[in-house]
Structures are given as C-alpha cells and as structure tokens.
C-alpha cells in the first residue's frame, strides 16, 4: 500500500524502463474486475493518464470481446498485471489462463513468467494466484492486503503499481492520499470506494438488464409477427369466403 510506495514505484519503473528494441515502452494490461480495475482506472483518468496507451484494462469473459482486445496488442512488448484478492475470480482467472496460453503458443515456450505481474493475497492457502507465483509461473508480485477488498483498494499495491507504471509522480499519489486521510480519516476513503464499487456494479447490472430486456422484446416480436401475419391472411382469405357462402345460401 501507500507505506510501500517507494518499493512499488521502483518495481513499476524498472519494468516500464525495459525499452523495446525500437526504443518504445511496454504497455501494461490490467486483468481484473470491479475494484481491482476501477480504482486504478479512476485515478489514472483523474491524473490525465487514462487514454495514453501506457495502462489498459480488460475485465470480461466473452471470447469475441477478448479477441478484439488482444489482437491489436504487440504481445512481445506487452506486460500483464493479474489482480484478484482470492486468486479465483472467474473473469480474471479466465483472462489470465487465456493470455498465458496465447503467450506460450506465440513464443513457443513455457517461459512467460516475466510477462506477468500478480497482485493477490499474501497466503497461498487463500489465493490460487499466490500459488502460481510461488510455482514460478509469474515473476513479479505484490499484495492485496487482508483488510482490503477490491472496492477499497484505492491505495493498495495494484493501484499504486499501475499509477507508477503510467508515470504518475509519487508526490501526486501521496498528495491524494493525504487529502483523503485528512478529511475524516480512512473511513471516508473506504466509504467512497464502497459507494464507487457498488455504483459501478449497479450500472453494469443495469446495462445487462437493459440488453436482456431488448433481447426478450426482440424475441417476442419475432414470435408475435408470424402470428399477426397469419391472422391477417386468415381474415383476408377465410372470412370473406364464409360471407360469400352465407349470401349465396340466403
């Protein structure tokens, strides 16, 4: 967290400073969902670093959106940061496994640990991702601390690492932290993170519900339309013939 700012900043800057052969920097892709993603994303946008291509975010399991995201990346240049406190979050785990598979296939080697950074619980008993780190499958790692959940992680290792990688100065990070702490302490920061996290989740479910409603409406229309067409045809063909029969018989 903020108490290890210098150490985390040094790790991120060291990773960022590993230039490619053409002199360009390596972008960082954050694989995470909820607070594991939104806190870093929010602070990067607030500091004007949100759309510069240094740090990108992915948090989905849809194979189509995954392919659209991964295809434009130069995998030889890109680093991936996997963020999950439990190490078993479905979306994050699925994305990590898929990226790991693609990297192994692309570079024809199992030695891809240096292309990943993990942020997870310190205990391998609590985190599957920590086990992967200890097995040597991920090179660098930091912690999501015991008293920190995703939506409270605004100044935990993952967010600080992303900020440092993007080039946000340590003095800015400390300044933001001091502003929050000085205004009624850490409780307000946690409350803000809590509200922000649930608001993001509410918006996500609202969009999902809206899409589902549209799909159901479209399905209903597609089922009702043939029935209406049949009824119109029935009225135009069968009913007039009945009227003619009645007139003829009369």
């Amino acid at each position: 967290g903020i108490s290890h700012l210098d150490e985390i900043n040094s790790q991120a800057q060291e990773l960022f400073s590993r230039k490619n052969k053409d002199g360009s920097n390596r972008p960082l892709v954050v694989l995470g969902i909820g607070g594991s993603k939104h806190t870093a994303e929010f602070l990067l946008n607030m500091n004007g670093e949100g759309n510069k291509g240094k740090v990108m975010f992915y948090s989905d399991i849809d194979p189509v959106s995954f392919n659209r995201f991964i295809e434009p990346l130069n995998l030889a240049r890109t680093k991936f940061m996997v963020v999950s406190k439990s190490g078993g979050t479905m979306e994050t785990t699925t994305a990590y496994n898929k990226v790991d598979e693609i990297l192994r296939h692309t570079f024809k080697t199992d030695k891809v640990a240096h292309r990943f950074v993990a942020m997870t619980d310190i205990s391998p008993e609590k985190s599957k991702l920590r086990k992967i780190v200890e097995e040597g499958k991920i090179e660098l790692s930091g912690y999501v601390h015991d008293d920190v959940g995703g939506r409270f992680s605004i100044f935990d290792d993952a967010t600080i690492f992303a900020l440092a990688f993007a080039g946000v100065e340590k003095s800015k990070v400390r300044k933001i932290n001091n502003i929050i702490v000085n205004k009624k302490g850490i409780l307000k920061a946690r409350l803000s993170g809590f509200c922000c996290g649930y608001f993001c989740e509410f918006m996500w479910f609202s969009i999902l519900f809206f899409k589902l409603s549209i799909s159901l409406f479209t399905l209903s229309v597609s089922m009702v339309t043939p029935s209406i067409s049949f009824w119109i045809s029935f009225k135009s063909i069968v009913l007039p013939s009945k009227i003619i029969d009645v007139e003829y018989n009369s």
Side-chain angles (χ1 to χ4, degrees):
I2 198 73
S3 60
H4 299 95
L5 178 60
D6 291 335
E7 180 185 346
I8 297 169
N9 197 81
S10 296
Q11 282 185 331
Q13 286 299 312
E14 193 276 330
L15 189 65
F16 180 74
S17 64
R18 295 178 187 175
K19 303 282 185 178
N20 297 299
K21 291 181 179 180
D22 61 0
S24 61
N25 297 108
R26 302 173 185 269
L28 178 71
V29 172
V30 178
L31 305 176
I33 193 169
S36 298
K37 163 183 180 284
H38 294 307
T39 50
E41 196 171 29
F42 169 75
L43 286 179
L44 284 170
N45 288 331
M46 190 175 75
N47 284 279
E49 298 290 342
N51 297 308
K52 294 187 176 180
K54 295 178 182 177
V55 181
M56 294 170 279
F57 299 86
Y58 183 79
S59 56
D60 205 340
I61 57 173
D62 173 53
V64 175
S65 66
F66 178 83
N67 289 335
R68 286 176 181 169
F69 180 84
I70 208 78
E71 283 176 2
L73 298 178
N74 185 327
L75 296 178
R77 300 178 178 182
T78 307
K79 296 289 185 179
F80 296 87
M81 182 165 73
V82 191
V83 188
S84 172
K85 182 175 184 178
S86 67
T89 308
M90 181 182 68
E91 294 87 349
T92 308
T93 302
T94 301
Y96 163 68
N97 289 336
K98 188 63 178 175
V99 171
D100 184 65
E101 177 186 338
I102 289 173
L103 292 176
R104 292 170 188 271
H105 175 76
T106 301
F107 300 110
K108 311 298 182 186
T109 179
D110 290 337
K111 296 179 179 180
V112 296
H114 63 289
R115 301 182 185 275
F116 289 101
V117 180
M119 296 293 175
T120 187
D121 195 280
I122 192 172
S123 170
E125 284 73 33
K126 294 181 180 179
S127 170
K128 298 176 182 177
L129 188 55
R130 180 59 59 188
K131 289 181 180 178
I132 292 174
V133 173
E134 294 194 346
E135 290 170 359
K137 296 178 181 178
I138 294 181
E139 185 178 272
L140 290 177
S141 71
Y143 305 114
V144 179
H145 297 86
D146 284 340
D147 59 344
V148 176
R151 61 180 59 90
F152 303 130
S153 61
I154 191 164
F155 287 118
D156 213 45
D157 292 11
T159 302
I160 294 175
F161 190 95
L163 292 173
F165 194 94
V168 178
E169 296 176 1
K170 289 187 289 185
S171 58
K172 282 189 176 182
V173 177
R174 286 197 175 97
K175 185 176 181 179
I176 296 169
N177 178 69
N178 291 337
I179 290 172
I180 293 175
V181 171
N182 290 336
K183 289 187 179 293
K184 304 297 184 181
I186 198 67
L187 179 61
K188 178 168 284 190
R190 288 191 168 186
L191 180 60
S192 299
F194 179 82
C195 293
C196 177
Y198 271 111
F199 176 75
C200 292
E201 290 177 10
F202 171 76
M203 292 300 296
W204 186 85
F205 279 111
S206 297
I207 293 170
L208 183 64
F209 179 76
F210 176 75
K211 288 183 177 180
L212 181 60
S213 300
I214 293 296
S215 299
L216 290 174
F217 176 76
T218 304
L219 180 62
S220 300
V221 170
S222 65
M223 294 176 66
V224 170
T225 301
S227 301
I228 295 175
S229 300
F230 174 78
W231 175 242
I232 292 174
S233 301
F234 179 80
K235 287 180 67 178
S236 62
I237 297 174
V238 178
L239 291 183
S241 64
K242 288 188 177 182
I243 294 172
I244 293 172
D245 289 343
V246 171
E247 291 180 349
Y248 179 81
N249 290 331
S250 61

